[in-house]
Amino acid sequence: MSGRTSLVLITALTALIQRAHAASIYVSPTGAGSGTVDSPYGSIQTAVNAAKAGDVIYLRAGTYSPTTNIKITKSGTVTSPITLRSYNDEKVIINGESLPGTPYGLDESLPNDERGILHIEGGNYWYFYNLELINGPYGVYARDSSHNYYERLSTHDNYESGFQLQGTASNNTVIYLDSYMNRDPRKNGESADGFACKEGSGTGNSIRNSRLWNNVDDGLDLYLFGSPVTIEEVYAWGNGFNRWGFSSFNGDGNGFKLGITDNPPANHIIRNSMAFANAKKGFIDNGNPGSLTFERNTAWNNGDNGFNMRSSKSTLKSNIAALNINAQVSLISGTTSSGNSWDSSTTWSNSSFLSVDYSTLAGARGSDGKIKASNFLVPTSGAAIGATTQAKI
Ligand SMILES: *[C@@H]1O[C@H](CO)[C@@H](O)[C@H](O)[C@H]1NC(C)=O
Ligand SMILES: *[C@@H]1O[C@H](CO)[C@@H](O)[C@H](O)[C@H]1NC(C)=O
């Protein structure tokens, strides 16, 4: 047997042994036991502390109200991830209202280790499914964590961003996220986004089939993240309005904010996504000096330009900008533009779309977790232009 063959065998055996020993760990809001199905733990942290690679932590229905945030600092492995999920799709709410920092006073700082109802730091190969995280100092805050998979999370009414990746982060997948009504009284709305991937780098991160709405700052923000993020079927609306009566309002109000001046070049890819009814711009490079790709997106009815490229050498193909306030687009020279609404002389009005009613888009997801298809913003012409919930593009 060659060295390589034995190495492969040992790796396979290790994975098998880990799987054979994989445990199911149960937690219930009313539990006081030892983590079995009949005698669940009462604390999610206790279950996390007990979990080993390959284990599945099942949360039973109800509302959990931790008084310290849930810290995840251990890792699974590529073949034996650790899973944290609701049991049988029971409704699980983790309410962060009793945590520190909900909220701290104006201009006070929120220490790193208090961020997040789920504070993941150096935690890799975790799978999360079907959890609702509310009223926390961030919903999910994952720093220096990679290879994690987040499916069907709902993060809302948190006192900072609903969902944030930060630091060294690669190969994280976020799918079927709903993140809304997040706000930061501590900063009068300056930084609570629906989804943020900020201040760090690492390839292979993606967000898909997600909705980011009515957040105080931006729908999505990639502030100072120096590697490409893939964004597909993401819908951002209603962001950047002062719904909380902050005295001095700092919300930015862009649907998709894709960097900042001084951002390292980050060639993000944005496809089949929509920005509508945001306070300001639909899609903005915001100073990112990279080469971004925009394909089949739609910006409609926003409070400023649909697409605003002021720094990047981006490629924009088959996008729609319609009924936005101010110029539909503002693109510096050096961008490449083809097949977009603004590349032809067609005039776009609400009747250019089969529907301008987003109630299906905003409504209940299908049992598969996907947003239900509708005619919202589908061009009446049938042209293959702009985003659509009807097809994967
Ligand atoms: C990325 O993470 C997934 C788990 O979400 C894992 O299955 C896959 O092997 C990882 N890919 C790489 C290149 O590490
Ligand atoms: C287009 O439709 C939206 C949603 O009904 C509405 O708010 C907006 O005022 C309409 N715009 C025009 C120019 O009719």
Side-chain angles (χ1 to χ4, degrees), residues 125-391:
Y125 297 109
W126 277 80
Y127 287 16
F128 302 88
Y129 297 90
N130 205 17
L131 307 170
E132 189 169 339
L133 300 139
I134 65 172
N135 302 332
Y138 292 88
V140 174
Y141 184 82
R143 180 186 275 262
D144 298 333
S145 297
S146 295
H147 308 293
N148 293 331
Y149 178 87
Y150 304 87
E151 179 179 315
R152 275 184 297 156
L153 267 49
S154 166
T155 53
H156 62 92
D157 296 284
N158 293 290
Y159 295 95
E160 243 294 352
S161 292
F163 193 113
Q164 183 155 323
L165 302 174
Q166 188 164 340
T168 305
S170 61
N171 188 36
N172 294 293
T173 301
V174 178
I175 187 165
Y176 310 150
L177 170 71
D178 283 336
S179 193
Y180 56 98
M181 289 295 279
N182 298 292
R183 79 306 198 188
D184 54 344
R186 198 170 57 89
K187 293 184 177 174
N188 276 329
E190 197 187 323
S191 77
D193 306 308
F195 172 87
C197 181
K198 286 184 176 171
E199 296 174 273
S201 62
T203 57
N205 299 300
S206 65
I207 174 169
R208 294 192 165 79
N209 207 262
S210 292
R211 303 184 289 198
L212 314 169
W213 76 96
N214 294 3
N215 297 289
V216 72
D217 194 27
D218 302 299
L220 175 147
D221 192 355
L222 305 181
Y223 172 83
L224 287 180
F225 197 78
S227 309
V229 175
T230 301
I231 297 161
E232 288 179 323
E233 299 170 23
V234 176
Y235 310 93
W237 74 91
N239 297 292
F241 293 97
N242 188 355
R243 300 170 196 275
W244 297 269
F246 293 160
S247 53
S248 148
F249 188 61
N250 288 331
D252 286 338
N254 303 296
F256 296 77
K257 197 162 103 185
L258 301 161
I260 186 82
T261 308
D262 301 330
N263 216 89
N267 304 340
H268 306 306
I269 296 168
I270 304 98
R271 304 170 74 232
N272 203 10
S273 293
M274 296 179 182
F276 59 95
N278 294 291
K280 299 279 175 49
K281 299 173 176 73
F283 299 83
I284 175 172
D285 67 6
N286 205 38
N288 182 345
S291 302
L292 290 70
T293 302
F294 294 87
E295 201 180 346
R296 296 283 308 260
N297 304 291
T298 298
W300 169 78
N301 204 24
N302 295 289
D304 199 339
N305 312 131
F307 292 79
N308 181 296
M309 301 297 127
R310 63 176 165 84
S311 50
S312 60
K313 304 273 178 294
S314 289
T315 300
L316 298 102
K317 191 164 169 261
S318 306
N319 302 284
I320 297 173
L323 292 107
N324 300 291
I325 313 286
N326 298 336
Q328 296 308 312
V329 296
S330 171
L331 311 175
I332 55 162
S333 66
T335 52
T336 305
S337 184
S338 66
N340 303 290
S341 59
W342 57 88
D343 295 316
S344 87
S345 55
T346 312
T347 306
W348 290 77
S349 67
N350 276 344
S351 55
S352 309
F353 300 104
L354 291 175
S355 165
V356 291
D357 172 4
Y358 66 95
S359 54
T360 302
L361 178 82
R365 289 171 175 272
S367 54
D368 55 2
K370 284 191 192 146
I371 294 159
K372 288 188 181 155
S374 69
N375 286 333
F376 181 56
L377 300 185
V378 174
T380 356
S381 67
I385 178 174
T388 170
T389 54
Q390 293 178 343

